[in-house]
Amino acid sequence: MQSKQYLSILFSFMSLLILLAIGYAYYFSKHYPLPITDRISLDAKLQFVRDSIDVESVDTMIVGSSIGLNNIHGEVLENVSSQIHSVVNFSVYQATALQSEQLTHLSDTFPNLKRIIYSAQYSDFPHARKYQNFDTKRWVKYMRGDLNMIDTWLIFFRACRNIMFCIERQREWKSKHLQKNKFEYLGFDSTGSVPLHIYGEDIIGHRWRLPQPGIMHSQSFDAVVRMTDRANRKGIEFYLAHQPYRDGLYKSKKGVKDAMSYFDKRIIEVFSQVKGKLIVLQALNVGDEYFADRSHLNDKGSILVSEAIGKFIDKTENRGKK
């Protein structure tokens, strides 16, 4: 009898712990990004789309690293372009070209998608890293709300198996990711873009003064070929927006100018094989006052660049209709 009572108490206690874990995960999911991938900004974006985006209406998807997240203002694109009506900015911090390729596979979430804008800089291309355990089908269903109840609760439960990890993320979320004058900011606008308000004393000296090396991996350009080809096969327009570099560095550092030129040359070669369009934004001569560092624009700069991208797309797609 004692052993039965012991087992009964043990199972009751374990059941209580499981229920508490699931309950906490559900609460956590309503206020913070569930840790379902190995990148907090990807966690945040998956949850944002699931909770805040009308996936049926999206016609334009932005992918890339923070060069897309910060440099393209989705709301501005919607306002200035006659062709663009509903944007989702699916850029993720530190995404390499191969990781951006993986992000484009999530475009299946949006059945009425007409165009993909890959926002990039040569500094995104030095590595051939990919996301591990990137479950495209599951994340598409998750964002569309198509998972059954069991699979949904399994995501909640697995996400917070390590309760201390979730508690730590909760503790630092506001101070680390909700400050618009920090590069870790994840305060999404209505489209998922993150305009940065970084000026004056908030500018980090070494990120302002020192350019990145002009190292680019051949597999990165191969990834652009594949993502462009995939878009073509699905009838989706593909644009690569080559973001500007801070003018003071671009004009004074030959290595930066050479890297930018080499990047454009390689992308033009790619688009001679597969149908895509290159938007060269250095030609805008965006002044240093519009930059948060060497390659990230501040909120004023993102407006200028987004307006230029919108005008380019209107001109290109209107011409194609004639």
Side-chain angles (χ1 to χ4, degrees), residues 48-221:
F48 170 79
V49 172
R50 180 179 184 269
D51 294 343
S52 304
I53 294 291
D54 178 3
V55 297
E56 302 292 330
S57 69
V58 170
D59 59 28
T60 303
M61 181 183 190
I62 302 164
V63 297
S65 66
S66 53
I67 296 296
L69 199 63
N70 304 141
N71 286 22
I72 301 185
H73 199 312
E75 292 178 352
V76 173
L77 275 183
E78 292 177 343
N79 291 330
V80 303
S81 172
S82 62
Q83 299 297 313
I84 296 171
H85 303 293
S86 181
V87 173
V88 62
N89 191 328
F90 217 100
S91 303
V92 174
Y93 282 141
Q94 298 180 337
T96 66
L98 278 79
Q99 289 168 335
S100 293
E101 179 189 8
Q102 291 174 291
L103 296 178
T104 63
H105 290 190
L106 297 176
S107 64
D108 293 343
T109 306
F110 315 107
N112 297 305
L113 193 68
K114 295 181 179 179
R115 63 192 65 81
I116 293 173
I117 304 170
Y118 178 23
S119 178
Q121 185 51 269
Y122 74 83
S123 54
D124 294 325
F125 276 51
H127 305 293
R129 292 195 301 263
K130 298 180 70 174
Y131 294 120
Q132 301 300 310
N133 305 313
F134 193 86
D135 194 337
T136 301
K137 291 183 179 180
R138 180 178 291 271
W139 303 147
V140 167
K141 287 184 177 181
Y142 173 76
M143 288 187 288
R144 291 187 58 81
D146 290 342
L147 289 175
N148 61 43
M149 186 176 294
I150 293 175
D151 286 337
T152 300
W153 280 104
L154 281 174
I155 285 178
F156 290 152
F157 179 67
R158 290 170 179 166
C160 278
R161 284 177 297 182
N162 184 344
I163 293 292
M164 295 309 299
F165 180 88
C166 289
I167 291 173
E168 180 62 19
R169 175 172 287 191
Q170 177 180 342
R171 186 189 66 79
E172 68 179 15
W173 175 248
K174 184 176 181 179
S175 62
K176 188 172 182 180
H177 297 292
L178 293 184
Q179 307 299 317
K180 61 183 179 180
N181 63 338
K182 294 184 178 181
F183 286 101
E184 297 84 4
Y185 183 45
L186 288 174
F188 301 133
D189 72 359
S190 64
T191 69
S193 296
V194 181
L196 293 174
H197 192 79
I198 295 179
Y199 299 87
E201 293 182 356
D202 291 325
I203 290 175
I204 300 173
H206 70 89
R207 293 183 62 147
W208 182 265
R209 297 189 307 271
L210 303 178
Q212 292 125 317
I215 301 171
M216 288 164 262
H217 200 293
S218 61
Q219 288 187 35
S220 297
F221 293 101

Side-chain angles (χ1 to χ4, degrees), residues 9 31 36 87 89 103 193 197 206 232 297 305 315 317:
I9 293 171
H31 299 89
I36 53 182
V87 173
N89 191 328
L103 296 178
S193 296
H197 192 79
H206 70 89
N232 287 341
L297 297 166
V305 162
K315 183 178 180 180
E317 297 186 8

